[in-house]
């Protein structure tokens, strides 16, 4: 049972009592998505409330991944990137009427720093106000990606009244064009237009977000008109939606990749050649077309072409060659038995893959991989479990192979995620028992440069190491299918998953 604070409930009642009208079909946009939310704390559920434009960050991100001014106008580093001075936008008010100033920003950032989130991984010494309109962040080492981290949902800026004396969020009081109206975790949230917004005012009076776990449920909501916008739709349903006269269907590329996380210390996968053989046996184009329904999504690298500094043209056309993969394994001492399966030293080449059903495509791809690696001569057992089993298996060392969807755009600068996923210690959602000295040095150097040409050169080399050594094996890029009811105009899609752009919508 989830318990919400008296202050939060009082705030919701106050919003509803002050509403001129109640939500209805004529004044409400309904969005259906797969993501749940458990509370109003940005460190755990901020991804929903930034999308709903209730809360905002110091910096914004455009659809190409470029940083834009948000609640801050600029961030200026010193020469060695160990101190950043952030200049705030003037005249911004929170939804409780209080002024956003440096003291409110410092309060929010220090609370975010104390919680589990992206800011806690930055080498911060202190965050302090410098007058009412500037914030100074001191770091223990150079860190070029600080503005990108400050654009993450966990680092939103809230009114001081949003927190209790222990730093817990008791009322979601942000600066966005919508304010919280009604909350029913984990499946429903309704927001109302905030007329005191500092920027472009919203046209729509209310927006309701509904969680629908099953893709087919979201399809039904779209075809029936219950949902004006339906997200993360299964490819098999797209043709039906396209035939619906009330909906338009859009397809968008995401900075999210379907990858195989490997235990690189496993005796069957502890050589680069073994991992390359497993990768070479994957028919990515077949999976993209037959399983995912998106033929262009096949990829042999982690990051999409939209992240150009990290994208490798030489790996742009993934190939499959089972016979070459077999030859590589034979070079490693493996031989085929009478059933065509590889053995070495009396042991069958057998692995167990775990994945989770939260994303239905994962189980289908796991089945396809099982069949493809059988053609190679590798027995792959598939275990459908919870997503939490992946970090747990990483920590206790029991994981062999995991199929997962990794969002490399959760921080707009991929350097942040890659630094964590492929650190010397590895990452729960990244490498396991793999470290490369040259890669580690490149990551350190990338965090210390603002020179665009130097950054690209080093990023290309780092990406080449990942694509060659394969501590994780990329399988497919992600494409999201979205249905939009034709009664709406002004729809935009954010590939970085930060914003539904609800304030742009009109009937």
């Amino acid at each position: 049972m989830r318990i919400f604070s008296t202050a939060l409930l009082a705030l919701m009642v106050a919003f509803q009592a002050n509403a001129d009208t109640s939500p209805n079909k004529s004044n409400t946009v309904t969005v259906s998505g797969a993501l749940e939310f458990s509370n109003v704390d940005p460190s755990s559920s901020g991804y929903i409330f930034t999308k709903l434009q209730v809360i905002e960050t110091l910096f914004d991100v455009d659809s190409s991944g470029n940083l834009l001014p948000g609640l801050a106008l600029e961030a200026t580093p010193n020469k060695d990137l160990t101190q950043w001075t952030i200049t705030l936008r003037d005249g911004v008010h929170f939804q409780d009427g209080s002024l956003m100033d440096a003291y409110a920003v410092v309060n929010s950032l220090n609370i975010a720093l104390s919680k589990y989130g992206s800011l806690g991984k930055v080498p911060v010494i202190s965050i302090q106000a410098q007058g009412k309109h500037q914030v100074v962040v001191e770091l223990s080492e150079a860190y070029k990606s600080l503005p990108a981290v400050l654009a993450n949902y966990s680092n939103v800026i809230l009114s001081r009244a949003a927190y209790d004396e222990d730093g817990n969020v008791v009322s979601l009081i942000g600066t966005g064009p919508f304010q919280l109206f009604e909350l029913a975790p984990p499946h429903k949230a309704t927001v109302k237009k905030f007329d005191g917004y500092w920027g472009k005012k919203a046209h729509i009076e209310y927006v309701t977000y509904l969680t629908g776990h099953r893709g087919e449920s979201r399809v039904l909501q779209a075809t029936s008109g219950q949902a004006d916008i339906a997200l993360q739709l299964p490819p098999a349903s797209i043709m039906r939606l396209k035939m619906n006269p009330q909906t338009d269907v859009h397809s968008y590329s995401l900075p999210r990749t379907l990858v195989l996380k490997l235990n690189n210390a496993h005796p069957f996968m502890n050589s680069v050649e073994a991992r390359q053989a497993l990768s070479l046996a994957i028919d990515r184009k077949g999976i993209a077309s037959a399983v995912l329904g998106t033929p262009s999504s096949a990829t042999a690298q982690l990051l999409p072409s939209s992240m150009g500094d990290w994208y490798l043209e030489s790996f742009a056309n993934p190939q499959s060659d089972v016979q070459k993969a077999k030859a590589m394994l034979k070079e490693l001492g493996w031989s085929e038995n009478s059933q065509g399966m590889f053995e070495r030293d009396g042991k069958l080449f057998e692995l167990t893959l775990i994945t989770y059903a939260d994303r239905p495509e994962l189980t289908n791809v796991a089945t396809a991989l099982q069949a493809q690696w059988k053609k190679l001569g590798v027995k792959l057992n598939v275990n459908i479990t919870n997503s939490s089993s992946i970090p747990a298996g990483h920590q206790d060392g029991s994981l062999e192979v995991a199929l997962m969807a990794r969002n490399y755009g959760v921080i707009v600068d991929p350097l942040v995620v890659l630094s964590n996923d492929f650190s010397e210690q590895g990452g729960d959602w990244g490498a396991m028992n793999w470290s490369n000295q040259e890669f580690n040095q490149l990551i350190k150097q990338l965090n210390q440069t603002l020179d665009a040409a130097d950054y690209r050169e080093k990023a290309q080399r780092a990406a080449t190491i990942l694509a060659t050594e394969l501590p994780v094996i990329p399988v497919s890029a992600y494409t999201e299918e979205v249905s939009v009811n034709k009664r709406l105009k002004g729809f935009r899609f954010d590939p970085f998953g930060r914003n539904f752009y609800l304030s742009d919508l009109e009937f």
Side-chain angles (χ1 to χ4, degrees), residues 314-343:
S314 57
F315 285 80
N317 186 27
Q319 301 296 318
S320 175
D321 190 333
V322 175
Q323 294 307 313
K324 182 177 179 180
K326 284 186 174 186
M328 293 174 71
L329 291 182
K330 289 176 181 178
E331 286 290 323
L332 295 173
W334 291 94
S335 58
E336 293 179 89
N337 63 20
S338 58
Q339 285 78 42
M341 306 302 287
F342 275 113
E343 292 181 349

mmCIF file of all heavy atoms in Angstrom, residues 314-343:
data_model
loop_
_atom_site.group_PDB
_atom_site.id
_atom_site.type_symbol
_atom_site.label_atom_id
_atom_site.label_comp_id
_atom_site.label_asym_id
_atom_site.label_seq_id
_atom_site.Cartn_x
_atom_site.Cartn_y
_atom_site.Cartn_z
ATOM 1 N N SER A 314 32.131 2.509 -40.407
ATOM 2 C CA SER A 314 32.688 1.204 -40.807
ATOM 3 C C SER A 314 31.890 0.030 -40.238
ATOM 4 O O SER A 314 32.041 -1.105 -40.686
ATOM 5 C CB SER A 314 34.148 1.092 -40.360
ATOM 6 O OG SER A 314 34.266 1.272 -38.956
ATOM 7 N N PHE A 315 31.030 0.290 -39.243
ATOM 8 C CA PHE A 315 30.195 -0.767 -38.658
ATOM 9 C C PHE A 315 28.718 -0.566 -39.013
ATOM 10 O O PHE A 315 27.840 -1.148 -38.390
ATOM 11 C CB PHE A 315 30.345 -0.786 -37.138
ATOM 12 C CG PHE A 315 31.643 -1.381 -36.662
ATOM 13 C CD1 PHE A 315 32.816 -0.630 -36.667
ATOM 14 C CD2 PHE A 315 31.708 -2.692 -36.215
ATOM 15 C CE1 PHE A 315 34.015 -1.170 -36.236
ATOM 16 C CE2 PHE A 315 32.901 -3.243 -35.778
ATOM 17 C CZ PHE A 315 34.062 -2.476 -35.784
ATOM 18 N N ALA A 316 28.466 0.253 -40.033
ATOM 19 C CA ALA A 316 27.092 0.647 -40.347
ATOM 20 C C ALA A 316 26.266 -0.460 -40.990
ATOM 21 O O ALA A 316 25.038 -0.402 -40.982
ATOM 22 C CB ALA A 316 27.102 1.871 -41.259
ATOM 23 N N ASN A 317 26.926 -1.471 -41.557
ATOM 24 C CA ASN A 317 26.198 -2.525 -42.272
ATOM 25 C C ASN A 317 26.510 -3.887 -41.642
ATOM 26 O O ASN A 317 27.393 -4.615 -42.102
ATOM 27 C CB ASN A 317 26.586 -2.518 -43.754
ATOM 28 C CG ASN A 317 25.746 -3.491 -44.560
ATOM 29 O OD1 ASN A 317 24.606 -3.799 -44.213
ATOM 30 N ND2 ASN A 317 26.320 -3.985 -45.655
ATOM 31 N N PRO A 318 25.809 -4.267 -40.577
ATOM 32 C CA PRO A 318 26.130 -5.500 -39.855
ATOM 33 C C PRO A 318 25.928 -6.748 -40.716
ATOM 34 O O PRO A 318 24.924 -6.880 -41.422
ATOM 35 C CB PRO A 318 25.152 -5.491 -38.677
ATOM 36 C CG PRO A 318 24.011 -4.621 -39.117
ATOM 37 C CD PRO A 318 24.619 -3.581 -40.006
ATOM 38 N N GLN A 319 26.891 -7.653 -40.653
ATOM 39 C CA GLN A 319 26.849 -8.883 -41.443
ATOM 40 C C GLN A 319 26.761 -10.106 -40.537
ATOM 41 O O GLN A 319 27.204 -10.077 -39.388
ATOM 42 C CB GLN A 319 28.103 -8.979 -42.324
ATOM 43 C CG GLN A 319 28.275 -7.828 -43.295
ATOM 44 C CD GLN A 319 27.163 -7.772 -44.326
ATOM 45 O OE1 GLN A 319 26.743 -8.803 -44.853
ATOM 46 N NE2 GLN A 319 26.675 -6.570 -44.606
ATOM 47 N N SER A 320 26.205 -11.178 -41.082
ATOM 48 C CA SER A 320 26.148 -12.450 -40.378
ATOM 49 C C SER A 320 26.882 -13.501 -41.210
ATOM 50 O O SER A 320 26.701 -13.564 -42.436
ATOM 51 C CB SER A 320 24.690 -12.871 -40.164
ATOM 52 O OG SER A 320 24.616 -14.158 -39.582
ATOM 53 N N ASP A 321 27.712 -14.292 -40.564
ATOM 54 C CA ASP A 321 28.469 -15.326 -41.272
ATOM 55 C C ASP A 321 28.700 -16.489 -40.297
ATOM 56 O O ASP A 321 29.684 -16.504 -39.549
ATOM 57 C CB ASP A 321 29.798 -14.757 -41.770
ATOM 58 C CG ASP A 321 30.522 -15.712 -42.719
ATOM 59 O OD1 ASP A 321 30.311 -16.942 -42.606
ATOM 60 O OD2 ASP A 321 31.311 -15.240 -43.552
ATOM 61 N N VAL A 322 27.791 -17.451 -40.312
ATOM 62 C CA VAL A 322 27.856 -18.558 -39.372
ATOM 63 C C VAL A 322 29.087 -19.423 -39.609
ATOM 64 O O VAL A 322 29.731 -19.877 -38.654
ATOM 65 C CB VAL A 322 26.564 -19.406 -39.454
ATOM 66 C CG1 VAL A 322 26.680 -20.644 -38.560
ATOM 67 C CG2 VAL A 322 25.363 -18.569 -39.032
ATOM 68 N N GLN A 323 29.436 -19.634 -40.862
ATOM 69 C CA GLN A 323 30.584 -20.488 -41.151
ATOM 70 C C GLN A 323 31.886 -19.875 -40.654
ATOM 71 O O GLN A 323 32.743 -20.563 -40.096
ATOM 72 C CB GLN A 323 30.663 -20.758 -42.667
ATOM 73 C CG GLN A 323 29.499 -21.583 -43.203
ATOM 74 C CD GLN A 323 29.294 -22.880 -42.419
ATOM 75 O OE1 GLN A 323 30.242 -23.618 -42.147
ATOM 76 N NE2 GLN A 323 28.047 -23.143 -42.044
ATOM 77 N N LYS A 324 32.033 -18.571 -40.819
ATOM 78 C CA LYS A 324 33.225 -17.897 -40.304
ATOM 79 C C LYS A 324 33.238 -17.943 -38.774
ATOM 80 O O LYS A 324 34.295 -18.148 -38.159
ATOM 81 C CB LYS A 324 33.263 -16.449 -40.786
ATOM 82 C CG LYS A 324 34.511 -15.693 -40.334
ATOM 83 C CD LYS A 324 34.551 -14.284 -40.899
ATOM 84 C CE LYS A 324 35.792 -13.540 -40.408
ATOM 85 N NZ LYS A 324 35.849 -12.149 -40.940
ATOM 86 N N ALA A 325 32.057 -17.787 -38.164
ATOM 87 C CA ALA A 325 31.962 -17.853 -36.704
ATOM 88 C C ALA A 325 32.371 -19.239 -36.206
ATOM 89 O O ALA A 325 33.070 -19.377 -35.194
ATOM 90 C CB ALA A 325 30.545 -17.522 -36.259
ATOM 91 N N LYS A 326 31.945 -20.285 -36.911
ATOM 92 C CA LYS A 326 32.342 -21.644 -36.532
ATOM 93 C C LYS A 326 33.849 -21.821 -36.623
ATOM 94 O O LYS A 326 34.475 -22.428 -35.730
ATOM 95 C CB LYS A 326 31.650 -22.674 -37.441
ATOM 96 C CG LYS A 326 30.180 -22.895 -37.121
ATOM 97 C CD LYS A 326 29.618 -24.037 -37.959
ATOM 98 C CE LYS A 326 28.184 -24.362 -37.540
ATOM 99 N NZ LYS A 326 27.669 -25.555 -38.240
ATOM 100 N N ALA A 327 34.443 -21.287 -37.689
ATOM 101 C CA ALA A 327 35.888 -21.410 -37.866
ATOM 102 C C ALA A 327 36.642 -20.715 -36.722
ATOM 103 O O ALA A 327 37.676 -21.214 -36.252
ATOM 104 C CB ALA A 327 36.301 -20.823 -39.215
ATOM 105 N N MET A 328 36.116 -19.586 -36.271
ATOM 106 C CA MET A 328 36.752 -18.853 -35.181
ATOM 107 C C MET A 328 36.705 -19.663 -33.883
ATOM 108 O O MET A 328 37.681 -19.696 -33.116
ATOM 109 C CB MET A 328 36.070 -17.490 -34.987
ATOM 110 C CG MET A 328 36.268 -16.537 -36.159
ATOM 111 S SD MET A 328 35.328 -14.999 -35.987
ATOM 112 C CE MET A 328 36.242 -14.195 -34.672
ATOM 113 N N LEU A 329 35.582 -20.330 -33.635
ATOM 114 C CA LEU A 329 35.478 -21.149 -32.434
ATOM 115 C C LEU A 329 36.399 -22.363 -32.509
ATOM 116 O O LEU A 329 36.995 -22.778 -31.497
ATOM 117 C CB LEU A 329 34.034 -21.587 -32.208
ATOM 118 C CG LEU A 329 33.038 -20.485 -31.807
ATOM 119 C CD1 LEU A 329 31.655 -21.074 -31.577
ATOM 120 C CD2 LEU A 329 33.511 -19.752 -30.550
ATOM 121 N N LYS A 330 36.532 -22.926 -33.679
ATOM 122 C CA LYS A 330 37.424 -24.069 -33.834
ATOM 123 C C LYS A 330 38.874 -23.661 -33.555
ATOM 124 O O LYS A 330 39.658 -24.458 -33.012
ATOM 125 C CB LYS A 330 37.289 -24.664 -35.228
ATOM 126 C CG LYS A 330 35.967 -25.402 -35.445
ATOM 127 C CD LYS A 330 35.807 -25.910 -36.869
ATOM 128 C CE LYS A 330 34.463 -26.621 -37.039
ATOM 129 N NZ LYS A 330 34.244 -27.094 -38.439
ATOM 130 N N GLU A 331 39.238 -22.438 -33.931
ATOM 131 C CA GLU A 331 40.579 -21.924 -33.631
ATOM 132 C C GLU A 331 40.811 -21.835 -32.120
ATOM 133 O O GLU A 331 41.961 -21.863 -31.652
ATOM 134 C CB GLU A 331 40.764 -20.542 -34.264
ATOM 135 C CG GLU A 331 40.940 -20.553 -35.768
ATOM 136 C CD GLU A 331 42.286 -21.135 -36.174
ATOM 137 O OE1 GLU A 331 43.279 -20.882 -35.457
ATOM 138 O OE2 GLU A 331 42.355 -21.860 -37.178
ATOM 139 N N LEU A 332 39.717 -21.720 -31.377
ATOM 140 C CA LEU A 332 39.813 -21.629 -29.918
ATOM 141 C C LEU A 332 39.743 -22.996 -29.243
ATOM 142 O O LEU A 332 39.651 -23.093 -28.015
ATOM 143 C CB LEU A 332 38.696 -20.730 -29.370
ATOM 144 C CG LEU A 332 38.754 -19.255 -29.795
ATOM 145 C CD1 LEU A 332 37.491 -18.524 -29.323
ATOM 146 C CD2 LEU A 332 39.998 -18.583 -29.228
ATOM 147 N N GLY A 333 39.774 -24.069 -30.048
ATOM 148 C CA GLY A 333 39.811 -25.410 -29.494
ATOM 149 C C GLY A 333 38.469 -26.101 -29.400
ATOM 150 O O GLY A 333 38.375 -27.209 -28.846
ATOM 151 N N TRP A 334 37.417 -25.504 -29.942
ATOM 152 C CA TRP A 334 36.095 -26.131 -29.912
ATOM 153 C C TRP A 334 35.947 -27.068 -31.113
ATOM 154 O O TRP A 334 36.483 -26.807 -32.190
ATOM 155 C CB TRP A 334 34.997 -25.072 -29.970
ATOM 156 C CG TRP A 334 34.903 -24.219 -28.729
ATOM 157 C CD1 TRP A 334 35.506 -23.019 -28.531
ATOM 158 C CD2 TRP A 334 34.203 -24.538 -27.541
ATOM 159 N NE1 TRP A 334 35.206 -22.546 -27.278
ATOM 160 C CE2 TRP A 334 34.410 -23.450 -26.637
ATOM 161 C CE3 TRP A 334 33.415 -25.609 -27.117
ATOM 162 C CZ2 TRP A 334 33.854 -23.424 -25.366
ATOM 163 C CZ3 TRP A 334 32.860 -25.582 -25.852
ATOM 164 C CH2 TRP A 334 33.074 -24.499 -24.993
ATOM 165 N N SER A 335 35.212 -28.154 -30.925
ATOM 166 C CA SER A 335 34.938 -29.079 -32.029
ATOM 167 C C SER A 335 33.466 -29.477 -31.992
ATOM 168 O O SER A 335 32.833 -29.493 -30.925
ATOM 169 C CB SER A 335 35.824 -30.326 -31.926
ATOM 170 O OG SER A 335 35.622 -30.976 -30.675
ATOM 171 N N GLU A 336 32.920 -29.787 -33.170
ATOM 172 C CA GLU A 336 31.499 -30.123 -33.269
ATOM 173 C C GLU A 336 31.279 -31.597 -32.947
ATOM 174 O O GLU A 336 32.023 -32.467 -33.417
ATOM 175 C CB GLU A 336 30.982 -29.823 -34.669
ATOM 176 C CG GLU A 336 30.958 -28.335 -35.002
ATOM 177 C CD GLU A 336 30.461 -28.065 -36.415
ATOM 178 O OE1 GLU A 336 29.230 -27.916 -36.601
ATOM 179 O OE2 GLU A 336 31.313 -28.021 -37.333
ATOM 180 N N ASN A 337 30.251 -31.891 -32.143
ATOM 181 C CA ASN A 337 29.902 -33.278 -31.864
ATOM 182 C C ASN A 337 28.952 -33.800 -32.933
ATOM 183 O O ASN A 337 28.681 -33.119 -33.932
ATOM 184 C CB ASN A 337 29.316 -33.426 -30.450
ATOM 185 C CG ASN A 337 27.997 -32.645 -30.285
ATOM 186 O OD1 ASN A 337 27.326 -32.310 -31.257
ATOM 187 N ND2 ASN A 337 27.642 -32.382 -29.037
ATOM 188 N N SER A 338 28.421 -34.996 -32.737
ATOM 189 C CA SER A 338 27.573 -35.625 -33.763
ATOM 190 C C SER A 338 26.266 -34.866 -33.993
ATOM 191 O O SER A 338 25.638 -35.007 -35.044
ATOM 192 C CB SER A 338 27.263 -37.073 -33.365
ATOM 193 O OG SER A 338 26.616 -37.113 -32.093
ATOM 194 N N GLN A 339 25.842 -34.063 -33.028
ATOM 195 C CA GLN A 339 24.618 -33.255 -33.187
ATOM 196 C C GLN A 339 24.919 -31.860 -33.729
ATOM 197 O O GLN A 339 24.008 -31.025 -33.857
ATOM 198 C CB GLN A 339 23.889 -33.114 -31.840
ATOM 199 C CG GLN A 339 23.153 -34.367 -31.385
ATOM 200 C CD GLN A 339 24.092 -35.400 -30.789
ATOM 201 O OE1 GLN A 339 24.995 -35.065 -30.032
ATOM 202 N NE2 GLN A 339 23.895 -36.666 -31.143
ATOM 203 N N GLY A 340 26.193 -31.611 -34.058
ATOM 204 C CA GLY A 340 26.563 -30.306 -34.598
ATOM 205 C C GLY A 340 26.741 -29.233 -33.537
ATOM 206 O O GLY A 340 26.824 -28.045 -33.864
ATOM 207 N N MET A 341 26.822 -29.626 -32.264
ATOM 208 C CA MET A 341 27.006 -28.668 -31.176
ATOM 209 C C MET A 341 28.469 -28.683 -30.736
ATOM 210 O O MET A 341 29.134 -29.726 -30.735
ATOM 211 C CB MET A 341 26.112 -29.007 -29.980
ATOM 212 C CG MET A 341 24.628 -29.134 -30.344
ATOM 213 S SD MET A 341 23.931 -27.638 -31.099
ATOM 214 C CE MET A 341 23.849 -26.574 -29.651
ATOM 215 N N PHE A 342 28.976 -27.516 -30.359
ATOM 216 C CA PHE A 342 30.384 -27.400 -29.999
ATOM 217 C C PHE A 342 30.655 -27.945 -28.597
ATOM 218 O O PHE A 342 29.870 -27.731 -27.661
ATOM 219 C CB PHE A 342 30.841 -25.937 -30.081
ATOM 220 C CG PHE A 342 31.256 -25.527 -31.470
ATOM 221 C CD1 PHE A 342 30.526 -24.594 -32.179
ATOM 222 C CD2 PHE A 342 32.371 -26.097 -32.065
ATOM 223 C CE1 PHE A 342 30.900 -24.210 -33.457
ATOM 224 C CE2 PHE A 342 32.766 -25.723 -33.353
ATOM 225 C CZ PHE A 342 32.028 -24.777 -34.051
ATOM 226 N N GLU A 343 31.814 -28.637 -28.472
ATOM 227 C CA GLU A 343 32.306 -29.130 -27.194
ATOM 228 C C GLU A 343 33.791 -28.806 -27.090
ATOM 229 O O GLU A 343 34.499 -28.701 -28.097
ATOM 230 C CB GLU A 343 32.110 -30.642 -27.072
ATOM 231 C CG GLU A 343 30.666 -31.087 -26.983
ATOM 232 C CD GLU A 343 30.538 -32.609 -26.840
ATOM 233 O OE1 GLU A 343 31.573 -33.292 -27.026
ATOM 234 O OE2 GLU A 343 29.443 -33.089 -26.538
#
